[in-house]
């Protein structure tokens, strides 16, 4: 069971993800270049935070055409677990793997702080280690994290329980306090908060661990013992 | 050769904090007559193609990359270039 962390030019949370998975969760993890086109060796794919391609044009707008993204599309279509965090979330929306868009924060400021979140759905492949409606603390650090989608999409997200994390004190103007959503199939998650920055008490919170533990549990359950 | 001028702006329903900040700054510079300000992105493209294909090409460029149609709208002009 191997995790792939994609490195785009301008990614800056890739090493944090590797540390969280390798050092804290004792998982096999490998950094994969954006120029690669093959993800067949991996059980899960993670798109890290940062400023891919300098956020030129819009966050994620150029990264979605990176060579690796064809493989990410295929991996997601085949039901593989894909998570995009922060800039990774922006890339997934630009790529059409998740609906909506991350706009500039309502107050125009870059926000870097700890955010209180509610686990709005603990029945997903990414949140099963949490309790439903559990309150957790994760860091946020973004200038464009204001989630927006049209009314029809919002109604669908709600009806299909695809809103996974919500802000308790909406910091950026996101619609319906949305901090993280999944795709319809439930195997692709995008979220603005950084679970990889909250995996050790030394970092101020361990609340991010549950996300990685949930993914590991999901993948373990899926693997047929030989 | 054709030249396209593409304008991408936020849809009216989208709050643009950047435009709000610029508007506030202009008010502080004592331009009280300013009532509305929109900012956006402007692209100039030169296209080695036929007149018939130019509009289709620019339309696809806008849809695929230049604009995010969730929050932005676009318009363009195409003129024959020297």
């Amino acid at each position: 069971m191997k995790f792939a962390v994609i490195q785009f030019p301008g990614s800056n949370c890739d090493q944090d993800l590797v540390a969280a998975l390798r050092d804290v969760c004792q998982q096999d993890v490998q950094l994969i270049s954006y120029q690669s086109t093959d993800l067949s060796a991996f059980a899960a794919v993670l798109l890290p935070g940062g400023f891919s391609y300098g956020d030129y044009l819009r966050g994620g707008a150029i990264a979605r055409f990176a060579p690796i993204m064809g493989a990410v599309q295929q991996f997601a279509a085949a039901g593989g677990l894909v998570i995009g965090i922060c800039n990774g979330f922006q890339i997934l929306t630009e790529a059409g793997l998740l609906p909506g868009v991350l706009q500039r924060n309502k107050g125009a400021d870059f926000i870097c702080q700890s955010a209180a979140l509610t686990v709005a759905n603990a029945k997903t492949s990414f949140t099963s280690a949490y309790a439903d409606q559990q309150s957790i603390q994760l860091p946020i650090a973004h200038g464009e994290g204001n989630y927006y989608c049209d009314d029809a999409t919002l109604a669908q997200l709600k009806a299909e329980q695809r809103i996974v994390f919500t802000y308790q004190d909406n910091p950026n103007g996101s619609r319906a306090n949305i901090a993280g959503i999944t795709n319809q199939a439930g195997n692709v998650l995008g979220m603005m908060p950084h679970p990889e920055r909250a995996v050790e008490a030394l970092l101020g919170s361990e609340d991010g661990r549950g996300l990685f533990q949930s993914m590991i549990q999901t993948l373990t359950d899926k693997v047929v013992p030989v | 050769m054709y030249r396209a001028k593409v304008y991408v702006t936020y849809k009216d329903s989208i709050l643009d904090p950047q435009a709000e900040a610029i508007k506030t700054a202009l008010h502080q510079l004592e331009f009280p007559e300013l009532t509305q300000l929109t900012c956006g992105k402007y692209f100039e493209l030169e296209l080695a193609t036929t007149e018939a294909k130019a509009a289709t090409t620019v339309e696809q460029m806008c849809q695929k990359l230049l604009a995010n149609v969730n929050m932005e709208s676009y318009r363009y002009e195409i003129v024959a270039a020297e």
Side-chain angles (χ1 to χ4, degrees):
Chain A
M1 190 160 88
K2 205 169 180 181
F3 290 78
V5 174
I6 311 295
Q7 257 182 327
F8 296 96
S11 292
N12 64 13
C13 298
D14 42 330
Q15 298 292 350
D16 293 353
L17 267 175
V18 169
L21 283 161
R22 185 190 58 204
D23 302 339
V24 179
C25 301
Q26 277 82 49
Q27 296 299 306
D28 195 359
V29 52
Q30 195 179 327
L31 286 167
I32 296 296
S33 163
Y34 69 102
Q35 290 177 310
S36 170
T37 53
D38 182 14
L39 289 166
S40 56
F42 298 96
V45 174
L46 300 97
L47 279 64
F51 299 86
S52 55
Y53 295 87
D55 272 358
Y56 296 149
L57 199 60
R58 298 179 302 276
I62 314 278
R64 66 156 294 204
F65 294 108
I68 191 65
M69 287 307 291
V72 173
Q73 292 272 5
Q74 283 174 12
F75 191 86
L81 291 189
V82 176
I83 175 169
I85 297 165
C86 200
N87 188 226
F89 187 9
Q90 295 165 346
I91 295 169
L92 291 176
T93 59
E94 284 285 343
L97 283 166
L98 291 171
V101 63
L102 283 315
Q103 302 182 75
R104 194 172 294 252
N105 293 341
K106 193 178 175 189
D109 291 332
F110 188 97
I111 305 170
C112 186
Q113 64 187 47
S114 179
L117 306 174
T118 300
V119 181
N121 182 355
K123 293 177 193 70
T124 76
S125 300
F126 304 91
T127 52
S128 55
Y130 296 109
D132 229 3
Q133 306 304 314
Q134 185 178 338
S135 184
I136 61 172
Q137 286 283 338
L138 295 181
I140 55 170
H142 56 247
E144 293 169 358
N146 175 359
Y147 182 80
Y148 171 80
C149 62
D150 60 25
D151 292 342
T153 306
L154 183 62
Q156 194 181 1
L157 288 175
K158 284 180 175 171
E160 295 171 353
Q161 296 191 294
R162 288 161 57 189
I163 301 171
V164 178
F165 296 107
T166 52
Y167 298 109
Q168 292 173 12
D169 187 12
N170 192 338
N172 55 23
S174 290
R175 269 204 103 169
N177 303 320
I178 286 173
I181 54 164
T182 64
N183 65 344
Q184 199 162 23
N187 65 308
V188 178
L189 170 75
M191 61 190 295
M192 288 312 295
H194 288 273
E196 79 281 11
R197 296 189 190 174
V199 290
E200 292 174 280
L202 187 64
L203 299 173
S205 166
E206 294 180 294
D207 291 350
R209 267 198 210 196
L211 181 122
F212 301 107
Q213 284 162 348
S214 304
M215 291 177 75
I216 292 162
Q217 192 60 51
T218 301
L219 294 168
T220 308
D221 292 346
K222 255 168 71 172
V223 173
V224 181
V226 283
Chain B
M1 187 77 87
Y2 288 86
R3 180 172 294 131
K5 297 178 175 182
V6 181
Y7 306 85
V8 177
T9 52
Y10 285 113
K11 291 177 178 174
D12 289 342
S13 57
I14 300 289
L15 173 71
D16 181 2
Q18 183 174 232
E20 290 299 314
I22 296 167
K23 194 168 116 181
T24 304
L26 286 170
H27 283 156
Q28 285 167 351
L29 292 170
E30 296 181 356
F31 294 104
E33 57 272 70
L34 175 68
T35 57
Q36 174 67 22
L37 182 147
T38 303
C39 61
K41 294 168 184 152
Y42 171 65
F43 306 89
E44 274 187 7
L45 316 169
E46 288 199 0
L47 304 163
T49 184
T50 62
E51 187 175 7
K53 279 188 182 168
T56 317
T57 303
V58 173
E59 183 71 29
Q60 286 177 348
M61 287 173 163
C62 290
Q63 285 280 343
K64 287 186 175 175
L65 179 63
L66 298 180
N68 182 319
V69 295
N70 283 293
M71 61 176 175
E72 292 168 332
S73 55
Y74 57 85
R75 63 189 172 83
Y76 49 83
E77 303 149 13
I78 298 171
V79 292
E82 297 296 301

